[in-house]
Amino acid sequence: MKTQLSQSLLLPLTLGIAATSCQLSATEFDARSYAMGGVGVTTADYVTASFHNPAMAAKHDVRDDFGLLAPVLGIQFDDPDELFNDASNLYDVIANANLPADALIVDAALTQLAGDKAYSEAGFGLVASVPTRYYSTNVFIKGYADAFLFADVLDNDLADTDVDSKMSVYAISVVEFGMTFARKFDTRYGGMHFGISPKYNIISTYNYSQTIDNFDPDKYKDGASSDKKGFNLDLGMEVGLLYGLSAGAVVKNLIPQQVDLKPMNGSSASYNLHPVVTTGLSWSSDYATLAMDIDINKTQRYEDVVSLSGVNDDFDDTQMLKIGAEFGLQSAMQLRAGYTNDLQGNKGQVFTAGIGLSPFNVFHLDFGASYGGSNKFGLVAQTMLWF
């Protein structure tokens, strides 16, 4: 690609990166779990069980009659390659370049941007729960969006007269409507719980791919979009053990689903919802909870990416190890902390923390935050009522 890129072309590029990563978002969130590193297989309460393990809907106090989560909202952002900084640097170089004398400097800035990736995710949820002694039922709505932005720059394009390199924005949103049914079986040590969450989902896709000199943040509506509807299931179990220990397992998205993004200017991909098995172990007392969850298999998301520079199918695969702790009084306040690590190595380690306020164990206000470096952070908040 020749260096005759003007400031007017780089400004839309820079603004486009910033606006896209903020507006397109994605996964499922729960403020208490989020603050505890994402654990939930054996630590979710009967309301948030629909998010983590449907079996936990049957694990509740005998005095509980109704629970309402309305709402939970969360967002997180991850820029591991410093795409924002590289795009800003590219803009500054172009703005101050004296072409053609500074051609090599501009080429170097473009090369620095090549292959950069950024991710943003957001989610929401609403749950109404009716627990009984042996059977419990939840009705829930939850959704998430998962956006992926990358600079698709060819090395040999930097010396060509035509601009072939592109900026691509891929996004997926999943909205699920479902019910959770859970059953308790009494045992000597505290009971066994089994649950199922049948759900109807709407999967929407978005693809906005343009050459760098045509990438315009005002033309997002020109992106290619599509929708796909389907049905899926989550299955879970949990068993109480000696000395406050609990063990459990959950299978999410038992039915594999795949949706293809509509191609745009030669760029496309597919998004997958594959079954993921997660196991959990926890210890709880009146004043503390310690827990660990681990994914048995990896979560696959974007695959079959068609690009100029080439993107491997496993670039965003994750297999999470999650560790969390909670301390406090259930009828007053709780302090939480956690840690997550991707065993696939695609995402770095993250530390989490949060606080919960629960006067008389009736109204719950929870906050959770994550930090994995200067370009990796998230925030979740929610309110709940228990009666």
Side-chain angles (χ1 to χ4, degrees):
M1 175 170 37
K2 288 287 187 181
T3 57
Q4 284 83 355
L5 291 175
S6 67
Q7 178 175 333
S8 62
L9 296 180
L10 266 295
L11 181 58
L13 169 61
T14 306
L15 294 178
I17 292 170
T20 302
S21 294
C22 292
Q23 292 175 357
L24 300 175
S25 336
T27 78
E28 112 192 329
F29 295 94
D30 159 23
R32 175 174 177 259
S33 168
Y34 195 84
M36 296 172 65
V39 298
V41 174
T42 60
T43 55
D45 56 59
Y46 70 92
V47 180
T48 59
S50 298
F51 297 162
H52 305 289
N53 182 355
M56 297 300 289
K59 189 172 185 178
H60 55 84
D61 192 280
V62 295
R63 295 168 294 181
D64 293 327
D65 296 316
F66 180 76
L68 178 67
L69 184 155
V72 55
L73 299 171
I75 188 168
Q76 61 185 27
F77 176 75
D78 185 9
D79 184 9
D81 300 322
E82 298 191 349
L83 187 149
F84 284 144
N85 288 338
D86 291 343
S88 177
N89 176 64
L90 181 59
Y91 169 77
D92 291 339
V93 168
I94 290 295
N96 297 293
N98 182 16
L99 299 176
D102 295 331
L104 292 178
I105 299 176
V106 177
D107 280 345
L110 287 168
T111 301
Q112 183 68 30
L113 180 65
D116 282 2
K117 302 178 182 69
Y119 312 87
S120 60
E121 304 176 351
F124 75 94
L126 302 168
V127 184
S129 179
V130 181
T132 64
R133 179 173 174 81
Y134 289 105
Y135 296 94
S136 297
T137 303
N138 292 3
V139 178
F140 65 88
I141 301 174
K142 62 178 179 178
Y144 66 86
D146 189 353
F148 164 50
L149 170 66
F150 69 103
D152 195 11
V153 178
L154 282 173
D155 289 340
N156 61 1
D157 194 23
L158 301 178
D160 201 340
T161 56
D162 296 322
V163 178
D164 296 319
S165 296
K166 292 179 289 188
M167 292 296 301
S168 292
V169 180
Y170 297 157
I172 187 85
S173 68
V174 179
V175 178
E176 298 178 340
F177 306 85
M179 298 186 69
T180 296
F181 304 96
R183 174 75 161 91
K184 176 183 178 181
F185 297 89
D186 287 327
T187 67
R188 181 178 179 181
Y189 304 116
M192 298 180 66
H193 306 85
F194 297 89
I196 182 172
S197 291
K199 54 191 182 181
Y200 174 78
N201 56 30
I202 302 173
I203 306 172
S204 301
T205 71
Y206 176 85
N207 176 10
Y208 181 64
S209 299
Q210 289 282 6
T211 56
I212 287 178
D213 54 345
N214 289 320
F215 192 89
D216 188 345
D218 294 329
K219 296 182 179 180
Y220 290 142
K221 294 182 179 179
D222 294 341
S225 60
S226 63
D227 295 302
K228 183 177 182 179
K229 301 175 178 64
F231 175 82
N232 223 310
L233 286 170
D234 295 341
L235 300 175
M237 62 84 61
E238 185 269 350
V239 58
L241 305 173
L242 289 170
Y243 309 114
L245 293 173
S246 296
V250 61
V251 182
K252 292 186 178 180
N253 298 317
L254 186 64
I255 303 171
Q257 293 176 277
Q258 178 176 298
V259 57
D260 295 327
L261 279 69
K262 280 189 175 181
M264 183 175 184
N265 294 326
S267 295
S268 65
S270 64
Y271 193 89
N272 298 271
L273 294 176
H274 292 308
V276 176
V277 180
T278 305
T279 59
L281 180 68
S282 65
W283 170 84
S284 296
S285 71
D286 292 338
Y287 306 106
T289 297
L290 302 175
M292 180 179 69
D293 290 357
I294 184 170
D295 294 340
I296 301 302
N297 61 312
K298 63 183 179 181
T299 299
Q300 298 170 293
R301 296 180 176 87
Y302 290 101
E303 293 184 338
D304 303 321
V305 178
V306 178
S307 63
L308 297 173
S309 53
V311 177
N312 295 328
D313 284 348
D314 60 357
F315 78 96
D316 66 342
D317 292 352
T318 58
Q319 185 177 1
M320 304 307 296
L321 168 66
K322 311 168 187 177
I323 300 173
E326 178 182 64
F327 304 95
L329 296 174
Q330 293 302 313
S331 59
M333 183 179 74
Q334 305 84 43
L335 298 177
R336 301 163 182 142
Y339 168 83
T340 66
N341 189 35
D342 177 17
L343 301 181
Q344 293 292 317
N346 288 321
K347 293 192 175 182
Q349 62 184 3
V350 175
F351 297 92
T352 65
I355 187 172
L357 303 175
S358 53
F360 307 105
N361 208 22
V362 174
F363 175 76
H364 294 250
L365 177 62
D366 298 293
F367 297 96
S370 66
Y371 181 77
S374 60
N375 298 316
K376 188 172 186 175
F377 53 86
L379 181 66
V380 184
Q382 69 187 31
T383 58
M384 283 196 300
L385 291 173
W386 288 5
F387 300 101

